Every structure is written in structure tokens, then in C-alpha cells.
Amino acid sequence: MTASMRTAIDTPFFALFDTAIGCCGIAWGEAGIRGVQLPEGGAPQTRERMRERFPDAQELGPPAAVQAAIDGVVAMLRGQAHDFRTLVLDLRGVPEFHQRVYAVARSIGPGQTLTYGEVAARLGEPGAARAVGQALGRNPFAPVVPCHRVLAAGDKPGGFSASGGIRTKLRLLLIEGAMRGTPGLFD
């Protein structure tokens, strides 16, 4: 396959969609979902963020498989449990350790949580809690890879790299009913 053919086949696309918490985005290509974007304020900001993340992507209506992913995110953000484990993610360029962390995060069911240390232990690397946090901080697929379900020790929220930071993480946990003693938005 020539470079020009590879580029034509591998052209990324993205779409914006409305949810209960605001305008989200999703990018995809031939190898699967390339990224998901939580709200960045409004549609213009989310579109700008998608163009920053995927500069070669064209905005397009989603094909059926991507629309199914969108429908799942919309349902999840309305508080309906949804399982994304069968969704195909394009993991090219994602470091192997991050892929392993994302696989564990994807195994956490709606309304459930683990700590960074518990994820590290499941990876067979009990001293890697900080590395787990760093991998989740670079998660290009939130909330499909539900990094919001991973908490710091003592069920404290820990960090969250999406727009809104900890407030967004707490909001996602509240939507899912997974607040295991964590303070609410107004505590």
C-alpha cells in the first residue's frame, strides 16, 4: 500500500453530539474509535478541541457503528448503565502500559470504582499507582474508557484531565451512583 493510499484509507473523521452534560465529540477511522471528547464548554469549543486533537479529521455524520457508540455515551451520561467493552478502539500509538491500564479501566462496571493502587495490583504491578494515574490522565477515550471510575487511595477523587477537572469526574460518578463516600459537588 502506498503512502497516499494509506492516507486516503486512514482519513480520520469526527462528529459532535449533545448529551445531558453538554456537547461531546467522537473521532474514528478505519481501525476504530480514535478518541472521545467530553464537553469543552459549548459546541464551538468542543469542535475546536477536536480539531486540535485530530487536525486531519473531517467532520462527518457518523456511520452506524460510531452512532451506536454515541448512543451509548448519551445513555451513560443520562444515568443509564452502558457497557463499552466491545467497542473497537484504535490503540495505535498508545503505549503498551497505557493499553493495559485502559483494559482494566474498561472492566470496571457502571457504578463501580477501583483505586489507582487496585488497578496497579490487577496489572501485577502493585507499586505502579502513580503510573496508572499518568496513563489515565492521557486517556483519549473518556468516558468510553471510564477513567472517572478510578479513584485515589481512600476513595478520594484524585485527578481528572477533562475540562472541568475534578468537578467533571465527580459529576460522572454522581450520574453513575458510584460515590463511595466521596464528597459531592457542593460539599
Side-chain angles (χ1 to χ4, degrees):
M1 177 183 314
T2 68
S4 62
M5 290 174 63
R6 191 169 33 254
T7 302
I9 291 173
D10 230 9
T11 299
F13 301 97
F14 79 93
L16 302 182
F17 57 99
D18 290 320
T19 72
I21 67 167
C23 180
C24 292
I26 189 167
W28 70 93
E30 289 294 317
I33 301 299
R34 290 188 173 195
V36 182
Q37 181 64 48
L38 288 167
E40 286 282 323
Q45 295 90 347
T46 302
R47 180 176 284 108
E48 181 178 326
R49 182 72 172 123
M50 291 299 289
R51 288 191 171 135
E52 287 172 9
R53 289 181 62 193
F54 307 99
D56 297 332
Q58 300 172 24
E59 191 167 358
L60 186 71
V66 175
Q67 185 61 53
I70 290 170
D71 294 344
V73 172
V74 169
M76 176 192 162
L77 295 176
R78 269 196 320 251
Q80 299 170 338
H82 191 80
D83 185 354
F84 294 105
R85 287 180 278 194
T86 60
L87 187 62
V88 177
L89 303 178
D90 182 348
L91 295 169
R92 292 175 297 173
V94 175
E96 189 271 334
F97 179 78
H98 293 204
Q99 290 183 37
R100 292 175 50 220
V101 170
Y102 300 164
V104 172
R106 289 180 88 183
S107 76
I108 306 168
Q112 304 297 311
T113 60
L114 292 176
T115 65
Y116 299 113
E118 289 169 331
V119 171
R122 287 189 181 189
L123 294 171
E125 300 188 35
R130 181 170 289 183
V132 166
Q134 290 171 347
L136 292 173
R138 292 178 179 86
N139 174 13
F141 306 105
V144 169
V145 171
C147 54
H148 64 281
R149 296 179 187 156
V150 183
L151 306 174
D155 291 332
K156 291 184 173 70
F160 198 61
S161 60
S163 180
I166 298 285
R167 293 181 71 86
T168 300
K169 183 174 190 170
L170 291 173
R171 187 171 187 189
L172 295 174
L173 291 168
L174 280 168
I175 289 168
E176 291 189 330
M179 291 301 293
R180 295 193 329 186
T182 305
L185 288 174
F186 305 105
D187 293 339

